[in-house]
């Protein structure tokens, strides 16, 4: 029975339950970025202190610190069940909590609910003193935790949580009046007049911006700015209800989860109609999330995207509410720009874009190649940030080591594969899986599981690929999980004209979508395009020739502007708006970290060259998130001829490492092929002696020691004394590991 289940508290609630005021949290701002600050939490307990990792939200850093503290205390959240509270005791606690919320003492408390009750007492007529049930369900953590004891699914079904609050309040007929048709509660006995007089302070009218997400009958969305005018004595939820076409604030549902912060750091929430949310929430509860499922589109995809709810109607995104330790109503503007930045920053791709401070130019890579070439937070870090942001548990990585197929078998199967394919030797983009081809010996394989806070399975990602390095397996598994999560979000930051990463598609992109406005100058000096007319450029009807190889690090400076065709110019003034620029930024070629439009052009340039090109059909949401002047940019995007103009200069190129080049051109790498060749030759000839001229650091000799052979004598010759010293050390370690058939191993300098 659902009512007999017990729900564990979250780590911070457990710490509070055990230590109360003795637990002290201190938030440290690590550094600022274009997407706000990152936070680290210091948790001081009576006997020790713990420090969390960095997170985008303060609450996430606090929960992480609490988790670390519980680990040191030897307490597992699943084993801590709030002192074995029974379902009956949970109901009693909820009843007592509601009674306390409507007490004289609580009315003056520095609690968000206190602010709502004081504001409700200023409402007119029958609504005076009525507090929406959604407010109590959203802002009271104790009622939330006790309702989870009764039924854990209240986390995914706010309407069920509200029904529990109403049911508990009905047990206080002499104290609280329940209005089921209004979804509100009010105190039955009036508050003392002396208390009411202290609350009757004159409050000035306030105005602030919000975003209205409108949904028409046919399901099309419109995102428009709206001004909320909270006049003196009005309850802000009533004003929001009017904008949503509702009777009053009791019909407004508030998202429990904050969806982001404004530029000044205040939290934003989504507000929508209760009647339009109930059905979708219940549907959401019944729909399991696994790797093969897809979220159905709601009637308001943008609201669903930012709130995590399937909203089938209008919604408002606003930054307004009563904070802790203050009686004043706090508010801030939520502009179209901030709204779109919030939308973008909630997807894994958006997290990566913001970390690079390049919303247009950067995108989450599809493969992890090496630590030295990666730019921005690593995939595992991004996945942890995403899970905290979406209120999921920490990802669980499981690494296994397994023997892999012998190299000879790999070479034979790889040769058959090559023979069956068409000859396309210069295809450098069809290489997503190249690092996943196993070598001899053992390989690392990683799977990652994502659980909800209630330990329900959300995603089980088990790639079957093996990697030579453990870290590569972990990072690539994290990337695959991030890629799947990206599919759950509406593609607010996706370019509808974005090509696939294959040579053929990049050729098509270069010929059909990209127009060169100025020829690549041979001089290394920065040159402006000769003409500003779009008609001066013609699509290139030549085959795309990539001059920069995969694995290279390119450094570029660039700018991206929204531009309207010359036919729409007015008074000889170009309709253009700069939306993003960067004086210097690095990308790895061939792993998907760069906008493919940029990569298609940059990889054909030489250092010092300048190019200017146009792309069509920009992704409006992403452009507005990057733009400085949102209103003007949106006006330009409304023109049919609007496009994005890129200006880019190649500052430098660092070629791929020798190891990477070897991996690109040889499958498997030459070093492993050499070991395989030597092994086969020794086996066929039953050789007892092997001499390696130019042995270097002894890699071949050391590798042969990993296999049983007929060799009894090994000799290495090299001119480098440093290399011989390294070879001696490596061979000494290998020979001391276990029994060996070798009778002698000698190194010569010569």
């Amino acid at each position: 029975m659902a009512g007999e289940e017990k729900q564990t508290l979250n780590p911070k609630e457990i710490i509070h339950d055990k230590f109360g005021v003795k637990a002290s949290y201190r938030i440290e701002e690590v550094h600022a970025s274009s997407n706000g600050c990152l936070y680290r939490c210091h948790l001081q307990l009576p006997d020790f202190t713990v420090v969390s990792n960095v997170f985008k939200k303060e609450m996430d850093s606090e929960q992480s610190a609490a988790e670390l503290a519980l680990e040191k205390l030897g307490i597992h959240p699943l084993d801590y069940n709030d002192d074995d509270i029974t379902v009956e005791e949970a109901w009693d606690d909820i009843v007592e909590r509601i009674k306390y919320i409507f007490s004289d003492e609580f009315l003056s408390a520095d609690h968000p609910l206190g602010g709502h009750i004081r504001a409700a007492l200023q409402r007119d007529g029958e609504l005076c003193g009525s507090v929406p049930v959604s407010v109590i369900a959203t802002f009271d953590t104790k009622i939330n935790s006790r309702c989870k004891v009764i039924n854990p699914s209240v986390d995914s079904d706010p309407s069920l949580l509200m029904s529990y609050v109403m049911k508990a309040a009905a047990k206080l007929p002499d104290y609280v009046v329940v209005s089921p048709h209004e979804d509100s509660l009010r105190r039955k006995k009036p508050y003392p007049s002396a208390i009411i007089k202290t609350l009757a302070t004159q409050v000035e009218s306030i105005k602030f911006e919000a975003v209205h997400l409108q949904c028409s009958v046919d399901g099309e969305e419109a995102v428009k700015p709206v001004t909320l005018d909270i006049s003196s004595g009005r309850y802000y939820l009533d004003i929001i209800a009017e904008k949503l076409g509702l009777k009053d604030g009791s019909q407004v549902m508030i998202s429990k989860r904050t969806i982001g912060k404004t530029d000044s750091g205040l939290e934003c929430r989504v507000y929508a109609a209760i009647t339009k949310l109930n059905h979708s929430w219940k549907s959401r509860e019944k729909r399991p999330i696994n790797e093969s499922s897809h979220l159905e589109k709601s009637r308001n995809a943008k609201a669903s995207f930012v709130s995590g709810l399937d909203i089938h109607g209008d919604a408002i995104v606003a930054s307004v509410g009563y904070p802790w330790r203050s009686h004043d109503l706090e508010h801030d503007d939520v502009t179209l720009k901030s709204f779109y930045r919030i939308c973008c920053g909630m997807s894994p791709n958006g997290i990566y874009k913001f970390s690079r401070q390049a919303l247009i130019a950067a995108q989450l890579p599809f493969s992890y190649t090496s630590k030295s070439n990666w730019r921005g937070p690593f995939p595992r870090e991004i996945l942890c940030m995403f899970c905290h942001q979406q209120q999921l548990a920490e990802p669980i990585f499981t690494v296994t080591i397994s023997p892999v197929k012998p190299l000879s078998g790999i070479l034979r199967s790889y040769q058959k594969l090559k023979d069956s394919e068409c000859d396309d030797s210069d295809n450098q983009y069809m290489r997503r899986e190249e690092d996943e081809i196993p070598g001899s010996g053992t390989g690392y394989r990683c799977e990652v599981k994502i659980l909800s806070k209630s330990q329900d399975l959300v995603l089980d990602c088990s790639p079957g690929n093996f990697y030579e390095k453990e870290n590569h397996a972990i990072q690539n598994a994290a990337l695959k999980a991030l890629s799947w999560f990206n599919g759950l979000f509406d593609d607010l930051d996706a370019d509808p004209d974005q090509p696939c990463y294959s040579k053929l598609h990049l050729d098509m992109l270069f010929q059909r979508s990209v127009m060169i406005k100025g020829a690549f100058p041979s001089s290394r000096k920065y040159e402006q395009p000769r003409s500003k007319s779009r008609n001066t450029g013609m699509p290139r009807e030549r085959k795309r020739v990539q001059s920069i190889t995969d694995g290279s690090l390119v450094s570029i400076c660039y700018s991206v502007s929204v531009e309207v065709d010359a036919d729409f110019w007015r008074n000889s003034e170009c309709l253009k708006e700069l939306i993003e620029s960067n004086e210097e930024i690095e990308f790895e070629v061939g792993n998907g970290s760069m906008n493919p439009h940029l990569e298609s052009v940059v990889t054909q340039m030489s250092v010092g060259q300048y190019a200017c090109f146009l792309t069509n059909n920009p992704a409006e949401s992403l452009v507005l998130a990057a733009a400085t002047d949102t209103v003007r940019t949106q006006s330009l995007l409304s023109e049919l001829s609007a496009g994005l103009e890129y200006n880019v200069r190649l500052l430098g190129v660092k070629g791929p490492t020798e190891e990477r080049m070897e991996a690109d051109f040889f499958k498997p790498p030459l070093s492993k092929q050499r070991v395989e060749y030597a092994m086969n030759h020794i086996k066929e000839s039953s050789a007892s002696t092997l001499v390696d001229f130019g042995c270097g650091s002894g890699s071949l000799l050391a590798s042969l020691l990993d296999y049983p052979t007929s060799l009894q004598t090994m000799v290495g010759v090299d001119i480098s004394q440093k290399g011989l010293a390294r070879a001696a050390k490596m061979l000494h370690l290998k020979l001391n590991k276990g029994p060996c058939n070798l009778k002698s191993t000698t190194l010569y300098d010569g």
Side-chain angles (χ1 to χ4, degrees):
M1 294 289 291
E4 295 175 355
E5 297 182 26
K6 296 177 182 178
Q7 173 67 25
T8 58
L9 302 178
N10 65 45
K12 190 175 178 183
E13 289 170 337
I14 297 175
I15 291 295
H16 176 74
D17 195 62
K18 289 188 67 67
F19 296 98
V21 295
K22 296 180 181 179
S24 174
Y25 295 86
R26 179 173 65 84
I27 299 297
E28 172 192 357
E29 292 186 4
V30 179
H31 64 80
S33 67
S34 61
N35 195 29
C37 293
L38 295 178
Y39 301 95
R40 179 185 290 121
C41 179
H42 301 253
L43 172 56
Q44 175 68 56
L45 295 178
D47 297 327
F48 60 86
T49 301
V50 293
V51 182
S52 74
N53 292 323
V54 296
F55 298 94
K56 293 175 66 177
K57 293 185 178 181
E58 295 182 30
M59 65 179 72
D60 293 337
S61 65
E62 291 176 344
Q63 290 289 0
S64 176
E67 288 176 5
L68 294 173
L70 291 178
E71 186 177 338
K72 292 195 70 170
L73 291 167
I75 298 174
H76 194 283
L78 290 178
D79 300 330
Y80 189 91
N81 54 11
D82 205 10
D83 293 332
D84 280 335
I85 291 177
T86 64
V87 172
E88 291 74 17
E89 290 171 336
W91 277 114
D92 292 340
D93 284 352
I94 296 172
V95 172
E96 288 300 317
R97 181 63 178 174
I98 293 174
K99 185 175 181 180
Y100 173 65
I101 287 173
F102 287 95
S103 66
D104 296 346
E105 178 185 355
F106 190 82
L107 187 61
S108 58
D110 292 333
H111 188 287
L113 272 179
H116 282 273
I117 296 173
R118 292 188 290 270
L121 290 171
Q122 306 298 315
R123 302 172 83 182
D124 297 327
E126 296 180 353
L127 294 177
C128 181
S130 294
V131 180
V133 178
S134 63
V135 170
I136 299 174
T138 299
F139 295 108
D140 194 87
T141 55
K142 184 167 185 178
I143 287 180
N144 269 269
S145 66
R146 295 304 185 262
C147 285
K148 289 177 186 177
V149 174
I150 300 169
N151 190 339
S153 63
V154 295
D155 251 356
S156 58
D157 191 349
S159 59
L160 181 62
L161 175 59
M162 290 173 57
S163 70
Y164 286 171
V165 174
M166 300 278 279
K167 184 177 180 180
K171 297 181 180 182
L172 297 167
D174 297 330
Y175 204 82
V176 176
V177 176
V178 180
S179 303
H181 300 294
E182 300 293 339
D183 291 321
S184 64
L185 305 177
R186 65 178 175 87
R187 177 165 145 160
K188 188 170 186 178
K189 181 181 178 181
Y191 287 95
S193 57
I195 296 179
I196 298 298
K197 287 181 180 179
T198 60
L199 301 177
T201 56
Q202 188 66 26
V203 180
E204 294 183 0
S205 299
I206 57 175
K207 292 183 180 181
F208 54 94
E209 290 185 46
V211 172
H212 191 180
L213 309 176
Q214 298 175 335
C215 190
S216 62
V217 176
D218 58 3
E220 293 185 0
E221 303 170 15
V223 181
K224 297 182 178 180
V226 63
T227 300
L228 299 181
D229 186 354
I230 315 296
S231 58
S232 179
R234 295 292 304 276
Y235 184 29
Y236 80 85
L237 282 181
D238 290 336
I239 303 299
I240 292 177
E242 291 177 3
K243 297 294 184 182
L244 293 173
L246 305 175
K247 181 180 177 182
D248 57 67
S250 63
Q251 298 180 349
V252 176
M253 175 65 75
I254 310 171
S255 64
K256 287 178 61 178
R257 188 176 83 193
T258 60
I259 62 168
K261 292 187 177 182
T262 62
D263 294 338
S264 61
L266 292 184
E267 296 176 338
C268 303
R269 294 182 186 270
V270 175
Y271 301 82
I274 292 176
T275 53
K276 296 180 181 178
L277 287 171
N278 287 348
H279 174 72
S280 61
W281 266 323
K282 291 178 181 177
S283 300
R284 185 185 182 91
E285 177 188 352
K286 296 176 183 178
R287 181 174 60 240
I289 301 178
N290 53 57
E291 192 161 0
S292 61
S293 70
H294 299 277
L295 290 182
E296 63 189 36
K297 283 195 176 285
S298 66
R299 285 190 58 204
N300 200 324
K302 288 186 175 66
S304 303
F305 179 90
V306 296
S307 66
L309 308 172
D310 290 333
I311 297 175
H312 291 250
D314 288 6
I316 283 180
V317 178
S319 177
V320 58
Y322 296 98
W324 288 88
R325 297 178 293 277
S326 175
H327 286 196
D328 298 328
L329 180 67
E330 287 191 350
H331 59 89
D332 197 6
D333 292 330
V334 178
T335 61
L336 288 177
K337 177 182 176 67
S338 59
F339 169 73
Y340 282 115
R341 290 176 74 85
I342 288 171
C343 292
C344 178
M346 292 189 71
S347 69
N349 195 26
I351 294 173
Y352 181 79
K353 286 174 176 288
F354 275 112
S355 72
R356 300 300 314 275
Q357 300 184 17
L359 300 187
I360 304 296
Q363 60 183 29
L364 183 67
F366 54 68
S367 68
Y368 176 90
T369 56
S370 68
K371 184 177 180 180
S372 59
N373 275 15
W374 186 272
R375 296 295 182 268
F378 292 107
R380 183 174 185 173
E381 296 174 19
I382 297 174
L383 184 59
C384 290
M385 292 171 66
F386 175 79
C387 289
H388 276 78
Q389 179 177 276
Q390 298 299 323
Q391 298 183 1
L392 299 172
E394 287 279 346
I396 302 171
F397 293 90
T398 304
V399 179
T400 56
I401 305 176
S402 301
V404 298
K405 191 176 180 181
L407 279 174
S408 56
I410 295 172
L411 287 170
R412 284 194 295 269
S413 60
Y414 184 71
Q415 186 62 44
K416 291 178 182 178
L417 180 64
K418 286 190 66 178
D419 293 341
S420 65
E421 293 176 345
C422 60
D423 185 16
D424 192 9
S425 59
D426 60 342
N427 189 345
Q428 297 183 20
Y429 279 84
M430 303 296 290
R431 55 175 298 277
R432 295 192 185 193
E433 306 296 325
E434 68 176 15
D435 292 330
E436 300 161 7
I437 298 176
S440 61
T442 58
Y444 294 94
R445 179 175 174 270
C446 179
E447 69 174 31
V448 56
K449 289 185 178 181
I450 310 294
L451 306 177
S452 67
K453 289 292 187 181
S454 56
Q455 301 302 300
D456 295 322
L457 181 64
V458 175
L459 174 67
D460 186 353
C461 183
S462 304
N465 306 309
F466 288 89
Y467 297 86
E468 292 184 12
K469 298 180 180 179
E470 180 179 0
N471 185 50
H472 284 201
I474 293 172
Q475 301 295 352
N476 278 289
L479 265 181
K480 289 188 181 296
L482 290 169
S483 176
W484 185 83
F485 277 120
N486 263 330
L488 291 181
F489 290 85
D490 294 324
D491 293 332
L492 298 182
D493 58 351
D495 188 336
D497 199 32
Q498 178 174 313
C500 301
Y501 255 78
S502 70
K503 176 177 175 291
L504 174 62
H505 283 87
L506 283 174
D507 282 340
M508 293 173 61
L509 163 72
F510 188 72
Q511 294 175 10
R512 300 178 184 177
S513 302
V514 179
M515 297 183 180
I516 301 300
K517 292 180 59 177
F520 296 148
S522 57
S523 169
R524 297 199 173 191
K525 296 180 180 178
Y526 182 88
E527 295 185 18
Q528 294 288 347
R530 297 178 218 175
S531 172
K532 292 186 178 180
S533 171
R534 179 181 298 215
N535 296 326
T536 61
M538 295 296 293
R540 296 278 179 142
E541 296 298 337
R542 64 177 176 82
K543 186 176 181 180
R544 176 180 169 274
V545 178
Q546 180 173 333
S547 61
I548 300 176
T549 59
D550 291 353
S552 300
L553 277 176
V554 297
S555 177
I556 64 172
C557 68
Y558 73 92
S559 66
V560 186
S561 303
V562 175
E563 184 183 85
V564 176
D565 192 280
D567 295 338
F568 290 82
W569 291 7
R570 300 167 187 169
N571 300 324
S572 301
E573 179 185 356
C574 177
L575 293 180
K576 183 188 295 186
E577 182 71 21
L578 178 67
I579 58 173
E580 182 174 295
S581 64
N582 206 310
E583 293 184 359
E584 184 175 1
I585 189 169
E586 281 189 328
F587 294 99
E588 180 179 357
V589 174
N591 75 335
S593 62
M594 191 184 346
N595 177 319
H597 296 301
L598 266 177
E599 181 162 337
S600 176
V601 175
V602 168
T603 52
Q604 301 173 74
M605 298 170 63
S606 299
V607 174
Q609 285 189 328
Y610 163 86
C612 181
F613 62 94
L614 297 168
T615 61
N616 299 321
N617 302 322
E620 180 175 332
S621 301
L622 184 60
V623 171
L624 293 176
T628 302
D629 189 339
T630 309
V631 176
R632 174 174 165 78
T633 303
Q634 195 168 34
S635 174
L636 293 178
L637 290 173
S638 65
E639 301 287 354
L640 293 177
S641 61
L644 291 185
E645 179 191 83
Y646 290 77
N647 291 272
V648 58
R649 184 186 183 195
L650 182 58
L651 301 178
V653 179
K654 297 177 183 177
T657 62
E658 183 177 342
E659 180 183 358
R660 178 65 183 273
M661 288 287 287
E662 185 178 310
D664 282 344
F665 291 101
F666 299 98
K667 305 287 192 314
L670 279 176
S671 57
K672 295 185 178 179
Q673 292 188 39
R674 186 169 60 149
V675 173
E676 178 77 5
Y677 175 81
M679 285 291 299
N680 290 335
H681 195 70
I682 292 169
K683 184 176 181 181
E684 292 172 359
S685 62
S686 298
S688 61
T689 303
L690 180 140
V691 181
D692 184 5
F693 291 96
C695 67
S697 57
S699 59
L700 174 62
L701 299 176
S703 298
L704 291 174
L705 291 177
D706 293 331
Y707 306 94
T709 65
S710 58
L711 293 177
Q712 296 183 7
T713 303
M714 273 189 179
V715 177
V717 182
D718 202 276
I719 197 172
S720 170
Q721 293 185 356
K722 288 184 178 180
L724 290 172
R726 288 193 295 268
K729 183 177 180 180
M730 183 184 301
L731 292 173
H732 178 73
L733 291 173
K734 284 286 185 78
L735 291 169
N736 287 337
K737 278 188 175 181
C740 182
N741 294 330
L742 286 176
K743 295 181 178 179
S744 68
T745 304
T746 309
L747 297 176
Y748 291 100
D749 177 12

